[in-house]
């Protein structure tokens, strides 16, 4: 039976333990995702406490990271989502995403509503991809794809 969490503290502690194991073992998120058999974005989010992993994936991740049976079970639970406590984020990378939404949030909203109508883009029926590409002007660029199902607002 799928279980749900009420308090995010246990899952946050597990994330700290899992990242420490990842570091000790010098693993990449891609290697962990490969063991789980799921996408790197989903597995990373799950290990960081934002998604439950299916039982076979939880067992594979726990085995790779050397986590115990309690951790395996916890990886399978539905977490209390939300990894950024209230207020403006202070981590520079996370802050830049916050800044992007401050600048382009209303633009995204306007374009989504114009093209799809009144509704939202799901963060549950969702895919995320991050790629590094060469910048023609030198250096590198990050290409981030947010691919969510459109869910129309339904009058009732």
């Amino acid at each position: 039976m799928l279980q749900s969490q009420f308090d995010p503290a246990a899952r946050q502690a597990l994330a700290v333990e899992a990242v420490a194991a990842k570091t000790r073992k010098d693993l990449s998120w891609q290697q962990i995702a490969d063991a789980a058999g799921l996408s790197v974005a989903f597995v990373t989010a799950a290990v960081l406490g934002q998604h439950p992993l299916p039982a076979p994936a939880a067992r594979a991740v726990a085995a790779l990271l050397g986590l115990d049976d309690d951790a395996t079970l916890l990886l399978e639970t539905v977490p209390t989502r939300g990894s950024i406590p209230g207020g403006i984020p202070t981590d520079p990378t996370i802050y830049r995403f916050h800044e992007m939404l401050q600048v382009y949030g209303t633009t995204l909203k306007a374009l989504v509503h114009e093209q799809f109508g009144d509704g939202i883009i799901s963060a549950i029926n969702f895919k995320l991809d991050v790629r590094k590409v060469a910048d023609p002007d030198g250096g590198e660029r990050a290409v981030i794809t947010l691919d969510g199902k459109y869910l129309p607002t339904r009058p009732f």
Side-chain angles (χ1 to χ4, degrees):
M1 168 187 283
L2 188 61
Q3 299 293 327
S4 179
Q5 295 173 341
F6 172 71
D7 181 356
R11 201 59 188 270
Q12 290 169 346
L14 176 58
V16 170
E17 181 183 356
V19 170
K22 172 190 177 293
T23 302
R24 274 193 309 279
K25 293 176 175 274
D26 194 29
L27 296 169
S28 69
W29 287 114
Q30 185 62 61
Q31 288 171 304
I32 297 169
D34 290 345
L38 299 167
S39 78
V40 68
F42 187 86
V43 171
T44 303
V47 171
L48 294 178
Q50 298 304 305
H51 293 303
L53 284 174
R59 286 191 298 273
V61 167
L64 180 64
L65 294 176
L67 303 175
D68 64 20
D69 290 343
D70 288 339
T72 304
L73 187 60
L74 195 54
L75 284 169
E76 296 175 40
T77 63
V78 178
T80 300
R81 291 179 171 98
S83 61
I84 303 172
I88 297 173
T90 57
D91 175 85
T93 302
I94 296 172
Y95 174 78
R96 291 299 175 235
F97 284 100
H98 175 79
E99 179 182 48
M100 286 176 220
L101 287 175
Q102 287 289 355
V103 174
Y104 293 104
T106 53
T107 300
L108 290 167
K109 175 183 170 40
L111 293 172
V112 164
H113 291 301
E114 182 176 284
Q115 293 178 34
F116 294 90
D118 184 18
I120 63 167
I121 305 301
S122 175
I124 300 300
N125 189 338
F126 186 81
K127 295 177 186 174
L128 168 69
D129 185 49
V130 178
R131 290 184 303 117
K132 179 171 48 173
V133 298
D135 186 332
D137 295 328
E140 298 167 331
R141 298 186 68 81
V143 177
I144 300 166
T145 304
L146 307 173
D147 179 351
K149 181 177 175 99
Y150 172 74
L151 302 171
T153 300
R154 294 186 181 164
F156 58 94

